[in-house]
mmCIF file of all heavy atoms in Angstrom:
data_model
loop_
_atom_site.group_PDB
_atom_site.id
_atom_site.type_symbol
_atom_site.label_atom_id
_atom_site.label_comp_id
_atom_site.label_asym_id
_atom_site.label_seq_id
_atom_site.Cartn_x
_atom_site.Cartn_y
_atom_site.Cartn_z
ATOM 1 N N ILE A 4 98.219 149.178 91.280
ATOM 2 C CA ILE A 4 98.314 148.045 90.369
ATOM 3 C C ILE A 4 96.898 147.580 90.041
ATOM 4 O O ILE A 4 96.097 147.309 90.935
ATOM 5 C CB ILE A 4 99.127 146.900 91.004
ATOM 6 C CG1 ILE A 4 100.524 147.414 91.346
ATOM 7 C CG2 ILE A 4 99.186 145.696 90.083
ATOM 8 C CD1 ILE A 4 101.326 146.487 92.195
ATOM 9 N N ILE A 5 96.592 147.495 88.745
ATOM 10 C CA ILE A 5 95.263 147.105 88.280
ATOM 11 C C ILE A 5 95.311 145.646 87.848
ATOM 12 O O ILE A 5 96.158 145.261 87.043
ATOM 13 C CB ILE A 5 94.795 147.982 87.099
ATOM 14 C CG1 ILE A 5 94.885 149.463 87.462
ATOM 15 C CG2 ILE A 5 93.371 147.638 86.692
ATOM 16 C CD1 ILE A 5 95.873 150.207 86.671
ATOM 17 N N THR A 6 94.394 144.837 88.398
ATOM 18 C CA THR A 6 94.342 143.417 88.069
ATOM 19 C C THR A 6 92.918 143.011 87.730
ATOM 20 O O THR A 6 91.962 143.685 88.116
ATOM 21 C CB THR A 6 94.843 142.557 89.247
ATOM 22 O OG1 THR A 6 94.102 142.899 90.411
ATOM 23 C CG2 THR A 6 96.316 142.757 89.492
ATOM 24 N N LYS A 7 92.810 141.885 87.006
ATOM 25 C CA LYS A 7 91.478 141.349 86.706
ATOM 26 C C LYS A 7 91.504 139.836 86.829
ATOM 27 O O LYS A 7 92.536 139.198 86.651
ATOM 28 C CB LYS A 7 91.009 141.756 85.317
ATOM 29 C CG LYS A 7 91.676 141.012 84.178
ATOM 30 C CD LYS A 7 91.054 141.367 82.833
ATOM 31 C CE LYS A 7 91.766 140.628 81.718
ATOM 32 N NZ LYS A 7 91.178 140.898 80.413
ATOM 33 N N LEU A 8 90.351 139.308 87.156
ATOM 34 C CA LEU A 8 90.141 137.865 87.204
ATOM 35 C C LEU A 8 88.880 137.592 86.400
ATOM 36 O O LEU A 8 87.822 138.134 86.708
ATOM 37 C CB LEU A 8 89.964 137.382 88.642
ATOM 38 C CG LEU A 8 89.652 135.896 88.828
ATOM 39 C CD1 LEU A 8 90.837 135.040 88.387
ATOM 40 C CD2 LEU A 8 89.301 135.594 90.277
ATOM 41 N N VAL A 9 89.009 136.795 85.348
ATOM 42 C CA VAL A 9 87.871 136.433 84.505
ATOM 43 C C VAL A 9 87.568 134.966 84.763
ATOM 44 O O VAL A 9 88.452 134.116 84.648
ATOM 45 C CB VAL A 9 88.173 136.668 83.009
ATOM 46 C CG1 VAL A 9 87.002 136.224 82.149
ATOM 47 C CG2 VAL A 9 88.486 138.134 82.756
ATOM 48 N N THR A 10 86.322 134.694 85.116
ATOM 49 C CA THR A 10 85.867 133.325 85.345
ATOM 50 C C THR A 10 84.879 132.974 84.258
ATOM 51 O O THR A 10 83.887 133.680 84.072
ATOM 52 C CB THR A 10 85.203 133.194 86.727
ATOM 53 O OG1 THR A 10 86.112 133.651 87.722
ATOM 54 C CG2 THR A 10 84.798 131.770 87.016
ATOM 55 N N GLU A 11 85.164 131.908 83.543
ATOM 56 C CA GLU A 11 84.270 131.411 82.494
ATOM 57 C C GLU A 11 84.070 129.929 82.738
ATOM 58 O O GLU A 11 84.966 129.125 82.451
ATOM 59 C CB GLU A 11 84.852 131.663 81.108
ATOM 60 C CG GLU A 11 84.955 133.139 80.787
ATOM 61 C CD GLU A 11 85.582 133.408 79.433
ATOM 62 O OE1 GLU A 11 86.311 132.532 78.921
ATOM 63 O OE2 GLU A 11 85.351 134.498 78.908
ATOM 64 N N GLY A 12 82.914 129.581 83.282
ATOM 65 C CA GLY A 12 82.668 128.189 83.645
ATOM 66 C C GLY A 12 83.633 127.779 84.736
ATOM 67 O O GLY A 12 83.705 128.410 85.783
ATOM 68 N N ASN A 13 84.415 126.744 84.495
ATOM 69 C CA ASN A 13 85.398 126.276 85.476
ATOM 70 C C ASN A 13 86.788 126.860 85.251
ATOM 71 O O ASN A 13 87.707 126.554 85.989
ATOM 72 C CB ASN A 13 85.482 124.747 85.449
ATOM 73 C CG ASN A 13 84.216 124.112 85.971
ATOM 74 O OD1 ASN A 13 83.541 124.681 86.818
ATOM 75 N ND2 ASN A 13 83.883 122.944 85.462
ATOM 76 N N LYS A 14 86.956 127.672 84.227
ATOM 77 C CA LYS A 14 88.263 128.263 83.920
ATOM 78 C C LYS A 14 88.369 129.655 84.537
ATOM 79 O O LYS A 14 87.410 130.418 84.540
ATOM 80 C CB LYS A 14 88.466 128.356 82.413
ATOM 81 C CG LYS A 14 88.527 127.006 81.719
ATOM 82 C CD LYS A 14 88.878 127.151 80.264
ATOM 83 C CE LYS A 14 87.712 127.780 79.531
ATOM 84 N NZ LYS A 14 87.921 127.929 78.095
ATOM 85 N N GLN A 15 89.548 129.970 85.019
ATOM 86 C CA GLN A 15 89.813 131.288 85.577
ATOM 87 C C GLN A 15 91.113 131.819 84.999
ATOM 88 O O GLN A 15 92.083 131.076 84.889
ATOM 89 C CB GLN A 15 89.907 131.220 87.096
ATOM 90 C CG GLN A 15 88.607 130.792 87.735
ATOM 91 C CD GLN A 15 88.726 130.636 89.229
ATOM 92 O OE1 GLN A 15 89.817 130.494 89.763
ATOM 93 N NE2 GLN A 15 87.607 130.664 89.910
ATOM 94 N N ALA A 16 91.098 133.097 84.635
ATOM 95 C CA ALA A 16 92.304 133.730 84.095
ATOM 96 C C ALA A 16 92.574 135.004 84.892
ATOM 97 O O ALA A 16 91.720 135.895 84.964
ATOM 98 C CB ALA A 16 92.118 134.051 82.619
ATOM 99 N N PHE A 17 93.743 135.071 85.495
ATOM 100 C CA PHE A 17 94.154 136.236 86.271
ATOM 101 C C PHE A 17 95.159 137.038 85.457
ATOM 102 O O PHE A 17 96.086 136.470 84.885
ATOM 103 C CB PHE A 17 94.791 135.786 87.588
ATOM 104 C CG PHE A 17 95.319 136.924 88.410
ATOM 105 C CD1 PHE A 17 94.460 137.705 89.152
ATOM 106 C CD2 PHE A 17 96.669 137.210 88.424
ATOM 107 C CE1 PHE A 17 94.950 138.755 89.908
ATOM 108 C CE2 PHE A 17 97.167 138.256 89.170
ATOM 109 C CZ PHE A 17 96.296 139.034 89.920
#
Side-chain angles (χ1 to χ4, degrees):
I4 301 169
I5 306 114
T6 54
K7 75 174 179 178
L8 176 66
V9 177
T10 305
E11 295 178 338
N13 292 330
K14 295 186 290 182
Q15 297 176 340
F17 176 78

